[in-house]
């Protein structure tokens, strides 16, 4: 093989890997969504103080956080509605890519904080304060 053929093979392999990675991300996003509401946010904890971009999904009585880029199909963090303790939102000093004018909200568990846009905070707060499906259904 001459040099040109080697370069073409390497370029083709890189292009194929890129297409496979993009297809994986697209399929993973479709699987995570499953027809449910997803919100774009970031997470940090005492164990990992840097902001990590992710998606939050509402699932019945659970709030699930998925990393934007990662190999896992399941949530990396899960909060049960009645155990979640949302604090007061505050402005973030640092700029988070993709989250303009984000606010940070403590979750009350393990020193974790979620950063999101104010409209997303309103949605999470409304979900948190509403009654879970089927809870106290027979109360008159």
């Amino acid at each position: 093989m001459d040099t040109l053929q080697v370069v073409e093979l390497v370029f083709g392999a890189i292009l194929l890997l890129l297409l496979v990675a993009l297809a994986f991300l697209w399929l993973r996003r479709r699987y995570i969504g499953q027809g449910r509401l997803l919100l774009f946010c970031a997470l940090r904890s005492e164990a990992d103080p840097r902001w990590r971009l992710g998606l939050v999904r509402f699932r019945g009585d659970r709030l699930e956080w998925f990393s934007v880029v990662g190999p896992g199909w399941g949530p990396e963090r899960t909060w049960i509605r009645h155990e979640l303790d949302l604090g007061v939102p505050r402005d973030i000093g640092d700029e988070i890519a993709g989250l303009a004018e984000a606010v940070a909200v403590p979750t009350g568990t393990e020193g974790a904080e979620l950063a999101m846009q104010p409209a997303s905070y309103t949605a999470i707060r409304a979900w948190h304060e509403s009654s879970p499906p089927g809870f106290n259904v027979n109360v008159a």
Side-chain angles (χ1 to χ4, degrees):
M1 272 202 273
D2 65 347
T3 307
L4 184 59
Q5 288 176 330
V6 172
V7 170
E8 287 176 348
L9 282 175
V10 169
F11 182 72
I14 291 172
L15 186 61
L16 181 65
L17 285 173
L18 181 64
L19 289 174
V20 168
L22 288 175
F24 173 77
L25 289 175
W26 182 78
L27 287 171
R28 182 176 177 267
R29 163 61 181 84
R30 299 279 297 176
Y31 175 78
I32 289 171
Q34 295 178 354
R36 293 187 175 93
L37 178 64
L38 290 177
L39 300 173
F40 190 61
C41 71
L43 171 76
R44 78 174 172 188
S45 64
E46 292 175 354
D48 188 7
R50 64 185 169 87
W51 288 108
R52 294 179 53 212
L53 293 176
L55 299 168
V56 169
R57 174 175 74 183
F58 301 103
R59 186 172 182 181
D61 67 338
R62 297 178 190 277
L63 186 66
E64 299 173 333
W65 185 84
F66 298 84
S67 176
V68 168
V69 179
W73 292 88
E76 290 187 32
R77 296 291 290 266
T78 301
W79 295 274
I80 299 174
R81 185 189 313 230
H82 68 273
E83 294 175 357
L84 185 63
D85 185 21
L86 293 176
V88 177
R90 62 176 175 73
D91 289 331
I92 297 176
D94 0 338
E95 190 69 28
I96 301 174
L99 289 173
E101 301 174 12
V103 294
V105 181
T107 62
T109 57
E110 303 168 9
E113 281 186 303
L114 289 172
M116 64 200 77
Q117 295 186 333
S120 297
Y121 170 73
T122 303
I124 288 177
R125 178 58 99 185
W127 170 84
H128 182 252
E129 292 178 355
S130 67
S131 180
F135 185 72
N136 286 337
V137 172
N138 297 325
V139 175

